[in-house]
Amino acid sequence: MTHGTPSTANREAVIRLADGVASARPDLGVSITFVDASNVDVSSALEAAAEPDAVIVPLVLSAGFHVRTGLSLGLDRIGGSARLAAELGPDERLVEVLAQRLDELGLADGDTVLLAAAGSNDPRAVRECFETARRLGQRLGRSVTAGFIAAAIPRLPDAIEMIREVHPGSRVVVGPYLLAPGTFYDQAATSGADLIADPLLLPDEPAPAALIDLVVDRYAAVGHERRERA
């Protein structure tokens, strides 16, 4: 599910993740559907794309309106035994990849790290982003806060400005809490930070094993729930 029409790089990066899941679980039928959540009725799009017995794993880091409402309505329209898995975050495996991307960038001891999230009108999704920032800070051994590209505060440029006031002379390094390249990543890259790491997925390299494992776990959790109810 994407916000805005996905670019070629965005699609290729996300397809890398789907390919990784298919390789990890050859016993499953794995398919992927892109939904332009900004211009399309998400529930109708899901109804058209999903099978009645499908497990839908939303490839989103935080569950905002489109997951908690749009996809849930779509499941009701599909009927049958279709199930919706949980969103991907917060999860330590996301933190692992975030830390890896920052390490690849060349994070230094004196740098200040800011987690850049897409943002949401759902307060729960916003809290989940701050929780990921807290976990990343624990992983890195330094304070990490969050800034939002849209729909939540503090907005990313404001957060960068606040960091510069509190930590003058420190490089501001942005860790994008974004699944793949796209419009949000482009906005984060021009927000005024000194450095920005790569998103979690890239179009020209295999998906990180941690993310593949996370998606498989989200699927498996729904399958376990089904067995318990049977």
Side-chain angles (χ1 to χ4, degrees), residues 55-56 83-86 217-227:
V55 173
I56 296 94
R83 294 290 184 273
L84 180 64
D217 270 6
R218 292 293 185 259
Y219 163 82
V222 174
H224 178 69
E225 178 184 327
R226 278 177 166 172
R227 291 192 295 271

Side-chain angles (χ1 to χ4, degrees), residues 84-97:
L84 180 64
E87 65 277 10
L88 300 183
D91 191 276
E92 290 300 325
R93 285 161 289 193
L94 295 173
V95 173
E96 175 185 337
V97 180

Side-chain angles (χ1 to χ4, degrees), residues 9 14 19 25-26 28 54 68 82 85 96 98 113 119 141 171 176 186 190 203:
V14 176
D19 288 344
R25 289 294 303 268
L28 301 177
R68 293 193 168 104
E96 175 185 337
L98 283 166
V113 177
R171 288 196 309 181
D186 293 343
T190 59

Side-chain angles (χ1 to χ4, degrees), residues 49-162:
E51 298 293 331
D53 60 347
V55 173
I56 296 94
V57 181
L59 299 182
V60 296
L61 302 178
S62 301
F65 171 82
H66 295 298
V67 172
R68 293 193 168 104
T69 301
L71 292 183
S72 296
L73 288 174
L75 285 179
D76 291 340
R77 293 181 180 182
I78 294 169
S81 59
R83 294 290 184 273
L84 180 64
E87 65 277 10
L88 300 183
D91 191 276
E92 290 300 325
R93 285 161 289 193
L94 295 173
V95 173
E96 175 185 337
V97 180
L98 283 166
Q100 175 186 333
R101 294 302 190 205
L102 289 166
D103 183 63
E104 293 166 350
L105 188 65
L107 186 66
D109 290 340
D111 294 339
T112 302
V113 177
L114 176 63
L115 188 75
S120 174
N121 291 319
D122 188 326
R124 291 169 294 182
V126 173
R127 288 195 296 270
E128 289 168 359
C129 293
F130 279 112
E131 170 62 15
T132 297
R134 185 190 68 80
R135 294 187 185 193
L136 180 60
Q138 287 185 331
R139 178 69 174 259
L140 298 176
R142 67 183 77 194
S143 177
V144 175
T145 189
F148 298 92
I149 299 164
I153 55 174
R155 292 297 176 92
L156 185 57
D158 296 334
I160 291 171
E161 183 178 344
M162 286 188 290

